[in-house]
Amino acid sequence: MNPYRIFKIVPLSVLQMLARFVAWIILRMPSASIMRTVKINIALIAPALSELQKQALTKEIIYHQCLTSIESIKSWAMPPDWSIAQICDVHNKDILLEGLASPNGMLAIVPHLGTWEMMNAWLNQFGSPTIMYKPVKGDITNDFILQGRARLNATLVPTDGSGVKAVFKTLKQGGFSIVLPDHVPDPSGGVIVPFFGIETLTSTLASKLASKTKCALVGLSCIRRDDGRGFDIYCYKLDDPALYDRDTATAAYALNQAMERMIEDNYSHYMWGYRRFKHIPIIDNPYNTDEANLAAFIRKYNASADNR
């Protein structure tokens, strides 16, 4: 029996309580990897914040990320109807429906913002999306996630050339797909463009698909309600012509800007525990450097930004 099955039995409210306790422990472990990653990301993108502001933001981010992790596991353990029942309000649903009606297909742009896994079941009500899936480490964990996603209408394809072709075919046939465009790609699959003001390696997959198919682009996020009871879905119309530019750097930068606007609405719900800035030309990997070098880079970068 897969040990993750216990998540099917334990109520969500109890799991959320456990997640808050884990977050409480992490916040008292400054040397923890996730704490260091969050602090570095905040230092990079928000250097003007005071230390007190950074501490408060770090606390919110850690709590939300722990909650998102345990809520995602719960959603994989439960049938799709359970996840759908957790959705309370859908903001600007007409944007999504308009995108789905596009004869050129629709590409849902889903950053690591909120509990996106909870939204999958809800989104699958509108058709059979083609989604790229990269196996996670550990057979038990991977089997559990695959079984959870196999209950949906989605067709899972590998994150390689064959998977890209499958997504392209789906869009050409007027179907839809879902992309998380803020993954750090292999260098061959990305360009260096700003994300929250930091020039970093950025995926070009979504931009290339949009340029070739002229599909509708719709941003989606699934945000936990303030009272902790359920989730709201937010739909964003992404119609900047630059998103379809044949120049991949132009299009990727436009997509980063679109994601920034989505994230700024619910800043602390973004997965800042992810090492998004692993490839910065000037400093390479800031997560492998010491505090003195990181501080020097931030000062240098801010000075060059002021001169641009």
Side-chain angles (χ1 to χ4, degrees), residues 110-168:
V110 184
H112 291 80
L113 178 61
T115 310
W116 61 92
E117 292 289 355
M118 192 72 72
M119 182 174 62
N120 274 350
W122 179 86
L123 190 55
N124 271 253
Q125 297 177 104
F126 298 95
S128 302
T130 299
I131 305 174
M132 301 178 77
Y133 175 75
K134 183 178 181 179
V136 300
K137 294 181 180 179
D139 291 341
I140 293 177
T141 301
N142 188 61
D143 289 346
F144 172 68
I145 295 174
L146 279 176
Q147 288 173 17
R149 290 183 174 175
R151 300 190 190 103
L152 306 178
N153 295 322
T155 298
L156 302 181
V157 296
T159 55
D160 57 19
S162 65
V164 173
K165 288 180 180 178
V167 172
F168 180 78

Side-chain angles (χ1 to χ4, degrees), residues 99-111:
L100 290 167
S102 170
N104 296 325
M106 185 196 82
L107 192 60
I109 301 299
V110 184

Side-chain angles (χ1 to χ4, degrees), residues 43-44 283 289-302:
L44 286 169
I283 198 174
T289 192
D290 56 40
E291 291 187 12
N293 284 331
L294 180 63
F297 165 76
I298 293 172
R299 286 194 298 270
K300 180 179 179 181
Y301 201 93
N302 288 337

Side-chain angles (χ1 to χ4, degrees), residues 261-306:
R261 289 190 288 272
M262 293 173 62
I263 293 165
E264 284 167 353
D265 284 347
N266 294 282
Y267 199 84
S268 61
H269 289 254
Y270 186 66
M271 196 169 72
W272 292 112
Y274 178 58
R275 298 188 172 189
R276 177 65 184 84
F277 302 104
K278 286 192 291 187
H279 298 286
I280 299 175
I282 301 176
I283 198 174
D284 190 27
N285 189 338
Y287 309 104
N288 291 340
T289 192
D290 56 40
E291 291 187 12
N293 284 331
L294 180 63
F297 165 76
I298 293 172
R299 286 194 298 270
K300 180 179 179 181
Y301 201 93
N302 288 337
S304 64
D306 290 339

Side-chain angles (χ1 to χ4, degrees), residues 68-89:
T68 291
S69 297
I70 212 159
E71 291 160 352
S72 297
I73 297 172
K74 178 68 173 177
S75 71
W76 291 324
M78 301 299 288
D81 286 348
W82 179 88
S83 294
I84 294 171
Q86 308 309 308
I87 306 302
C88 298
D89 291 325

